Amino acid sequence: MKGIAVLTSGGDAPGMNACIRSVTRSALAADLPVYGVLHGFEGLIDGCFTRLARSDVSNILQRGGTIIHAARSERFLQPSGRAAAAASLESAGIDGLVVIGGEGSFHGADLLAKEHGVKVAGVPGTIDNDVWGTDRTIGFDTAVNTALSAIDRIRDTAAAHERLFVIEVMGRTAGFIALEAGIGGGAESILLPEIPTDLGRLVSLLERRRSEGRLSSIVVVAEGDDAGNAVQIAEKLQEMAGLTCHATVLGHVQRGGSPTSLDRVLATKLGWAAVQALLDGAAPCMVGEVAGSLLRNPLSSSWLGRKPLDPVLVHLSSLLV
Ligand code: F6P
C-alpha cells in the first residue's frame, strides 16, 4: 500500500476521534503515510486531505465529535461525485480509505469501491447501533448513557410532582437507544419503530398504574415511532384519556460528550482492524465485533442484513412494569 486516508461520515458519534487516532497510529506503525479527509465525502470529492502525524491525534481519544468533521454529501450520491473522489485519492497517492460511519456511508463507499476499485474498509460508527455485522457501533454506548442520565433526572422531578413524561430519544428507524436507555431507566413503556405502537394499550397501562396509586410514569419513545414523536404522543394521551403529560425531546445532546470506556476501546480495536484489513488485501469490507471476535464482512451486509433488537430486552420491557 502507498497511503491511507480516513474520513468520518453521516451523523457524528462519540468515539470517532478515538478511532481516527487508532487508524492513524496503526497505519504509521506499518510505515504508511496517513491523511485525514476533512468534511467526509464532500472533502474527498474536493481533495481536502491533511497529513496526520502521531502528535496530530494526541489528546483526542476522550473528545466527542470528530476533529476531521462529518458531513452528509449529496454530491457523492452522483456517479460524477464518486469519480471526482477517486481521482482525488489517486492524485494524492492514497490507495486505502477508512470510512467511519453508518450503513448509509457504507453504501456510498461500496459504490466507490465497485466503480473505481478503491480499497475501502468501513468502521461502524453511529449512535443508532443499526449496523448489521457488529454487536455495537461506536457511539451507541455513550448515547445510551447520556439518555439514561437524562431519564434519571426526569424521573426525580416526575416522582416529586407525580407526573407523566414522554421522553424522546434518537433513532429514526431503529429503537436500540430507546430500548437500552428505557430498560436501564426503568421506563414504564418503551415505544420502538420496529414494533407497532398500540396507544390504547398504553392508556390502559397508565390508568392501571394510577388506580394502584403509582402516579408518575416515564414513557420512552424513539423518534421514528409509528405513533408519532414525543409531543404528538403526549397530545394523543391527553386527548384519549385526559392524562396531563409532559414531553421532553433529548435530541442532539445524545450525539455529543466524552465517549464511555466501552466506546473508546471498541473504537480503538476497530480502527486497528480496519487498517489490518487494508494491509491484508481484504478490502472492500467492513469490520465489526461480534461476541468478542473481530470480523470482516462485505460492506453491503451492513444494509442487507437487519440487526434485530435483543428479544430478551423487548420481552422485559413490558414484563417489569
Ligand atoms: O444517525 C444518527 C442520528 O443521530 C439519528 O439518530 C438521527 O435521526 C439523525 O442522526 C439526525 O440527523 P441530523 O443531525 O442530520 O439531523
Side-chain angles (χ1 to χ4, degrees), residues 72 126-128 170-172 223 252 255:
R72 301 189 194 274
T126 162
I127 64 164
D128 289 347
M170 275 188 162
R172 259 198 295 251
E223 63 176 318
H252 286 78
R255 287 248 292 264

Side-chain angles (χ1 to χ4, degrees), residues 28-315:
L28 291 173
D31 287 327
L32 286 171
V34 194
Y35 302 83
V37 184
L38 303 179
H39 313 291
F41 289 124
E42 281 288 297
L44 195 62
I45 293 169
D46 297 331
C48 298
F49 303 119
T50 179
R51 184 92 181 247
L52 293 174
R54 227 159 237 285
S55 56
D56 292 320
V57 292
S58 293
N59 200 23
I60 65 167
L61 176 72
Q62 75 283 10
R63 284 170 52 194
T66 155
I67 59 162
I68 50 177
H69 307 289
R72 301 189 194 274
S73 173
E74 288 296 319
R75 285 193 293 160
F76 198 73
L77 298 177
Q78 307 303 322
S80 57
R82 295 191 292 274
S88 297
L89 286 167
E90 167 105 44
S91 65
I94 299 165
D95 54 358
L97 176 66
V98 176
V99 173
I100 309 168
E103 47 108 0
S105 306
F106 294 170
H107 223 115
D110 196 47
L111 288 171
L112 185 69
K114 288 198 169 114
E115 293 167 359
H116 303 282
V118 177
K119 297 183 187 82
V120 188
V123 180
T126 162
I127 64 164
D128 289 347
N129 199 30
D130 57 344
V131 180
W132 188 92
T134 191
D135 287 343
R136 291 186 170 247
T137 54
I138 296 167
F140 172 61
D141 187 62
T142 308
V144 167
N145 279 288
T146 301
L148 190 55
S149 115
I151 292 168
D152 287 348
R153 284 156 200 260
I154 291 170
R155 168 84 66 195
D156 288 345
T157 179
H161 286 269
E162 300 181 308
R163 281 173 169 163
L164 165 62
F165 275 82
V166 180
I167 304 174
E168 181 182 311
V169 299
M170 275 188 162
R172 259 198 295 251
T173 57
F176 293 96
I177 298 177
L179 186 57
E180 289 219 4
I183 290 283
E188 278 64 42
S189 180
I190 305 172
L191 310 181
L192 306 163
E194 292 86 345
I195 299 172
T197 293
D198 181 345
L199 284 185
R201 224 170 124 215
L202 177 57
V203 167
S204 308
L205 168 81
L206 295 170
E207 283 175 339
R208 172 171 64 80
R209 285 177 54 80
R210 288 191 88 76
S211 71
E212 293 165 358
R214 298 194 284 167
L215 303 182
S216 79
S217 295
I218 302 276
V219 175
V220 171
V221 57
E223 63 176 318
D225 190 76
D226 61 308
N229 59 32
V231 174
Q232 292 162 336
I233 291 173
E235 282 167 3
K236 285 179 193 167
L237 292 177
Q238 175 94 43
E239 274 164 31
M240 289 166 76
L243 296 166
T244 304
C245 186
H246 294 261
T248 303
V249 179
L250 299 185
H252 286 78
V253 70
Q254 296 157 95
R255 287 248 292 264
S258 181
T260 58
S261 62
L262 200 151
D263 274 329
R264 296 182 199 192
V265 172
L266 178 67
T268 302
K269 273 177 155 178
L270 294 184
W272 170 81
V275 173
Q276 292 309 306
L278 290 171
L279 292 173
D280 292 349
C285 67
M286 69 158 268
V287 295
E289 187 178 48
V290 175
S293 296
L294 292 171
L295 300 180
R296 296 167 181 166
N297 277 299
L299 285 163
S300 59
S301 63
S302 67
W303 68 86
L304 294 176
R306 177 95 173 138
K307 183 150 110 188
L309 294 168
D310 181 337
V312 175
L313 290 188
V314 172
H315 177 61

